[in-house]
Amino acid sequence: MYWFFYPCNKLVAGNRHEGDWERVAVQLRDGEPQAVTFAKHGGDPCRTKWSELNPRDGHPAVYSALGSHGSYSTEGFHRVSHTFDRTSDEGAEWRTWDNVRPVDREPWWGYTGWWGAQQHVNGFNGPMGPYPNRQLPGIFTDEPCGDADKPPADPPADPPAEQPAPNAPKTVEGAIQRYEEFLHAVGREDIDTVCEVAGPAAKQAEDQGFGPCESTFASRSG
């Protein structure tokens, strides 16, 4: 597992916060690399076979999306939730393998809190980083990443603002849909979405003295 830390997630609109942890994972078999799992906020992890990657001196190339820093195996536009990530071959190349440090030897190892200010607004909270025994979903996923999406016919100058998910219709199907959204968010440790889906119950718990949903859920899940 390789983690990348950025001081700020600075999308122009919809998702700006202090601190940004991103990651990729190399899948091995008998010590030989087989694939790389790519992760990003707002989407499920996916994998690209080692033979399909574009290596740099024997190392897989990882594209960091503009502003969001989501990790991808190709350049271009990539659909994420209600917006697009953008990667390019024209960006600066970082030889990260020359600056690898084991996380369990860092002075902050063991910290399970937030890496950035917490405004308790969806899309504007700092993330949690690597810590002992953290459960990370999708590391060994078989879901292929596929090619980059074609850019929209008229790509906007600025990424569109993320909109809160609309309330599902009050039907059995709608309730199941919202519950599945909740479970996926729990698996991704997407606290903002968890608290948005659980809004009424979270507000009731806060009124009973449990504190804001974002901090209470994170402390219990950490």
Side-chain angles (χ1 to χ4, degrees):
M1 175 74 67
Y2 294 87
W3 291 88
F4 313 107
F5 180 75
Y6 305 86
C8 181
N9 190 98
K10 51 181 181 180
L11 284 178
V12 174
N15 195 326
R16 298 175 65 89
H17 56 76
E18 294 180 342
D20 195 24
W21 279 104
E22 301 291 346
R23 68 182 188 269
V24 298
V26 179
Q27 299 181 7
L28 304 175
R29 179 176 294 132
D30 297 328
E32 295 297 323
Q34 303 295 312
V36 173
T37 299
F38 294 85
K40 67 272 187 185
H41 302 308
D44 294 324
C46 62
R47 60 171 264 169
T48 299
K49 294 180 180 179
W50 191 263
S51 59
E52 297 173 354
L53 294 168
N54 182 19
R56 301 285 199 277
D57 297 332
H59 302 273
V62 177
Y63 291 85
S64 177
L66 181 66
S68 76
H69 311 124
S71 298
Y72 296 93
S73 61
T74 57
E75 62 92 23
F77 285 86
H78 310 265
R79 187 181 298 276
V80 181
S81 188
H82 304 297
T83 185
F84 282 88
D85 269 351
R86 183 185 179 187
T87 57
S88 173
D89 277 322
E90 299 177 359
E93 182 176 300
W94 298 340
R95 298 172 63 88
T96 54
W97 55 89
D98 290 333
N99 191 30
V100 177
R101 301 199 300 267
V103 292
D104 58 359
R105 298 180 190 173
E106 292 296 295
W108 46 261
W109 180 243
Y111 174 65
T112 61
W114 306 91
W115 289 74
Q118 300 304 298
Q119 302 182 38
H120 307 304
V121 178
N122 187 27
F124 290 83
N125 286 333
M128 290 183 289
Y131 54 77
N133 301 318
R134 179 176 178 182
Q135 300 298 311
L136 296 170
I139 295 177
F140 299 105
T141 181
D142 289 326
E143 184 67 27
C145 291
D147 297 327
D149 292 315
K150 294 181 180 179
D154 229 352
D158 297 327
E162 288 185 354
Q163 299 297 323
N167 291 329
K170 294 182 179 181
T171 63
V172 174
E173 292 78 10
I176 293 174
Q177 177 183 346
R178 289 291 273 173
Y179 185 57
E180 289 179 346
E181 181 183 353
F182 175 83
L183 292 178
H184 283 297
V186 171
R188 295 196 304 268
E189 296 189 16
D190 182 356
I191 307 301
D192 293 329
T193 300
V194 168
C195 292
E196 187 274 320
V197 174
K203 181 63 170 63
Q204 182 178 358
E206 183 176 349
D207 292 341
Q208 294 174 357
F210 284 91
C213 172
E214 290 82 355
S215 57
T216 301
F217 188 91
S219 63
R220 293 181 181 277
S221 63

